Amino acid sequence: MTHDSTPEAGDPGPAPDGDPVLAPDTEPAEPAEPADEPIGRRVLRLRTDRRLTQRQVAEPAYTPAYISTLEAGRVRPSEAALRHVAERLGVTYEELTTGQPAHLATRLRLRLTEAQRGLTTGAAEEAAVLYEELRAEAERHGLAAEQAAAELGLGECALETGELPDAHRHFEAAEALLVAAGAPLPQRAPVVRARALAHYLSGELRYACYLLESALDELNTSGLHDPDALLLLYTATIAPYMDMGAHARAAQAAELALSLAPQAGDPLLVAKMHRSVARTLLAEGRAAEADVSLSKAAELYQRLQIRTELAHCHWMRGYVHAQNGRLVDAESELRTARDMLSAKRAVLYTTQVEVELADVLRRRGSSDEAAALLRALLGDLNPERGAVHAAGAHRLLGIIAEESGAAGAPEGSGPLTAAAEAAEEHYVTALSLLERAGAAGDLADLCRLLGDLYRRTGRIDAALDTYRTGLGHRAAPGTTTLGPAPAEPPV
C-alpha cells in the first residue's frame, strides 16, 4: 500500500497536483458525470457524517489522495472503487451510486401495501396521512412508480370521502408520473380505471366510457393482452354502460370479463368483476345467477378481509333483492352496507346507498321515513358529486309527493295542488341532472313519470312532448352517446 502526506482530517481540499496513486484495478482520471448530487460530494457527505478520514476510507486498496481527488470530482471512479468506498462507508453500492437508502423502493412498496390495507379496512383519512408521507418520500428520492402509487392511493381516499376534485387531481398526477417514466399501458390501467370512476361519480358518464374504451382499444390492438388490466377495465365499463342505457355493451363487457377471469392473477379483481357482472345478469332477468355471482364476490371479499368492497357487495345484493321484490331482505342488506360505509366515513358511497334504502322504505310503506332520509342526504349530492343518485333522490321525492294523496285531484282538473307542484319540481330537477350525465336508461323512466303527471293535471301537449323525449332515449339506448365499441381481446 502506498502512503503520502495528505492530511487525514476530513478536509476535502483540492487534490494534489498530478495523478493520484492508483491501485492496479482502478481507472485513469476522467471528468465526473453530472448528477443531482455528484458522486464525489456524496462520498464526502457520507464520510464526514461518519467522522471518517480519507485514509480510513481509502485503505487498504487506495490512497488518501485518490479519495481526495474523487471527492473533488476530478476522477470517474470504477465500479470496483465505488464498491470498496461503499463498504468502508457502511452503505450499499446502490445507495452510494444513487443516493437512495438501501432497499428504499422495496420498503416504500411494503408501506404502500400497508396504506392500501388501511384504506380497505379502516378510515380513509388515516390512510391518506400515510399515503401523503409516502408520496413525499418517493418524490424526494425520485421514485416515480412509488410516487404514482401514492398519488393513486390519495385519489382513492378522496373518492371514499367524496372529495371528487381532489381525486381528479391525484389521479391525473399519478398518470402524468407514469407516462413520464415510460410505464406501459397495463401498468397504467389502475390509474385509467380510477380516473374513469371519478368522472363517472361526477356525472360525466360519456367521458368515463371514453377513457375506458380508449385504453381497451389500445390494449387489444397493440397486443398488450394483460389479463389483469383487461379484466379491470372491462369491469369498470359496466356501471357507466348500464346508467347510459347501453345494456348490450354492458352485457358484452360482462361476458368478456367472465372469460378473462380464469387468467387473472389478482383475486380482488375477480371479486369486483363478479359484483359488477351481477348487475348485467339482473338486467337480463337472471336474478338467480346474479345472486350466485354476488355470493362468489362476497366470499372472496370475506377471505381477503376487505370491508369496503364487502360493503359494496351487500349494497349490490340489496339492489338485487329490491329488484326481485324481496324488500325485507333488501332493507337488511342495504342497512348493513350503509352502516359499514358510514363507519369508514365513506360519505359519498353512504349517501348513494341511502337513496336505494329510501326506495325500499317507500315500497314497504314507510314514505315519511324515506322522505326524511332523502332530504337529509341531498346536501351531500349535487351535479358534480353523485349526479345519478342525486337524480334518483329527486325522482323518489317526486313519487312520494304524488303518492301522498294531496295530488289526488281528478285527471285533467284545474289548478295544481301543492303536492303535484312539488312532484313536478323534483322530476324536472332529476331530468336536468340525468340529461347532464347522459344517463339514458333512467331518463326514459323519468320522462314516463313526468309525462303521467302532466297528463293527470290536464297538460296534454306537455305530456306528449315528454313521452316523445322518453321514447327517443328508449328507442336506441346508448347510440347517441357512444361511438364504435372497442376492439375485443383474442380470448
Side-chain angles (χ1 to χ4, degrees):
M1 179 182 69
T2 2
H3 299 275
D4 65 15
S5 58
T6 304
E8 294 190 16
D11 180 12
D17 291 338
D19 291 336
V21 181
L22 304 178
D25 61 346
T26 60
E27 298 173 350
E30 295 182 34
E33 291 182 343
D36 292 338
E37 182 186 32
I39 188 72
R41 189 178 301 168
R42 190 175 302 131
V43 170
L44 169 62
R45 174 172 55 78
L46 292 170
R47 180 175 65 78
T48 54
D49 285 349
R50 288 154 175 75
R51 299 180 180 277
L52 296 173
T53 66
Q54 291 173 340
R55 184 178 300 279
Q56 288 172 317
V57 173
E59 293 178 344
Y62 300 89
T63 67
Y66 178 70
I67 300 302
S68 176
T69 307
L70 190 160
E71 291 178 350
R74 294 177 57 188
V75 64
R76 177 184 295 172
S78 66
E79 180 181 335
L82 288 175
R83 289 191 181 279
H84 167 83
V85 171
E87 181 182 355
R88 302 298 289 170
L89 292 172
V91 297
T92 65
Y93 170 77
E94 289 75 17
E95 182 176 355
L96 180 62
T97 54
T98 66
Q100 297 171 1
H103 311 301
L104 172 65
T106 301
R107 179 171 58 80
L108 281 177
R109 283 192 288 269
L110 288 172
R111 292 183 66 203
L112 285 165
T113 301
E114 177 188 340
Q116 182 63 33
R117 184 75 175 170
L119 176 60
T120 56
T121 60
E125 290 90 341
E126 297 164 9
V129 172
L130 181 53
Y131 275 125
E132 185 55 49
E133 293 174 359
L134 295 172
R135 186 204 62 77
E137 188 172 359
E139 182 179 17
R140 190 164 57 250
H141 293 289
L143 297 173
E146 288 71 22
Q147 186 182 347
E151 291 281 10
L152 177 59
L154 285 167
E156 290 174 341
C157 290
L159 282 186
E160 285 284 307
T161 56
E163 302 299 328
L164 294 182
D166 288 343
H168 285 297
R169 178 169 53 83
H170 287 301
F171 293 148
E172 288 167 5
E175 185 166 43
L177 284 163
L178 292 175
V179 169
L185 183 54
Q187 191 176 331
R188 291 185 279 118
V191 178
V192 174
R193 175 257 177 196
R195 285 189 62 206
L197 177 58
H199 284 288
Y200 168 68
L201 292 174
S202 298
E204 299 166 342
L205 276 63
R206 179 168 56 181
Y207 189 63
C209 289
Y210 165 75
L211 288 174
L212 294 166
E213 291 187 341
S214 297
L216 285 166
D217 248 341
E218 186 176 343
L219 283 171
N220 290 327
T221 58
S222 61
L224 299 172
H225 303 126
D226 182 280
D228 282 0
L230 288 169
L231 180 61
L232 179 69
L233 296 174
Y234 276 119
T235 298
T237 63
I238 291 174
Y241 280 162
M242 292 294 289
D243 284 348
M244 294 176 73
H247 294 168
R249 284 209 187 172
Q252 181 189 37
E255 182 181 342
L256 289 168
L258 284 167
S259 66
L260 287 161
Q263 306 170 49
D266 186 348
L268 179 56
L269 290 180
V270 176
K272 286 183 176 179
M273 180 274 299
H274 281 300
R275 194 186 82 208
S276 296
V277 164
R279 188 173 175 187
T280 66
L281 293 172
L282 189 64
E284 295 171 359
R286 298 155 65 183
E289 293 174 66
D291 202 40
V292 169
S293 196
L294 285 169
S295 296
K296 291 178 181 177
E299 181 184 345
L300 284 166
Y301 290 142
Q302 195 75 50
R303 192 186 312 158
L304 296 168
Q305 297 183 330
I306 299 178
R307 287 184 60 79
T308 300
E309 299 293 348
L310 186 58
H312 282 264
C313 203
H314 283 292
W315 178 1
M316 182 56 73
R317 293 193 79 165
Y319 174 80
V320 170
H321 290 322
Q323 296 299 308
N324 227 10
R326 297 166 57 183
L327 299 182
V328 174
D329 292 336
E331 181 179 348
S332 174
E333 292 283 3
L334 291 172
R335 286 190 184 277
T336 298
R338 191 264 307 269
D339 293 345
M340 292 174 73
L341 291 167
S342 179
K344 291 184 77 277
R345 300 192 287 280
V347 179
L348 181 56
Y349 290 129
T350 301
T351 55
Q352 291 178 342
V353 172
E354 287 177 333
V355 173
E356 298 189 25
L357 176 60
D359 184 37
V360 171
L361 290 173
R362 178 192 68 81
R363 291 166 63 187
R364 294 197 66 201
S366 302
S367 292
D368 290 344
E369 183 183 354
L373 179 60
L374 291 167
R375 291 191 188 98
L377 60 83
L378 272 177
D380 291 322
L381 297 170
N382 57 59
E384 287 76 34
R385 193 169 182 267
V388 174
H389 282 79
H394 281 291
R395 171 186 172 279
L396 284 172
L397 284 168
I399 292 173
I400 290 170
E402 285 204 84
E403 291 176 345
S404 67
E411 227 179 82
S413 65
L416 295 180
T417 65
E421 287 180 346
E424 181 179 347
E425 181 180 349
H426 284 301
Y427 289 154
V428 170
T429 301
L431 192 64
S432 173
L433 288 165
L434 292 175
E435 284 179 333
R436 179 172 178 173
D442 291 336
L443 268 168
D445 173 67
L446 190 60
C447 286
R448 177 187 59 80
L449 290 171
L450 182 58
D452 288 350
L453 176 62
Y454 286 147
R455 178 176 53 80
R456 281 194 297 272
T457 53
R459 289 170 287 176
I460 304 302
D461 288 343
L464 288 171
D465 287 342
T466 305
Y467 287 143
R468 290 188 191 102
T469 301
L471 285 171
H473 288 297
R474 181 64 72 189
T479 56
T480 59
T481 51
L482 297 173
E488 296 183 21
V491 180

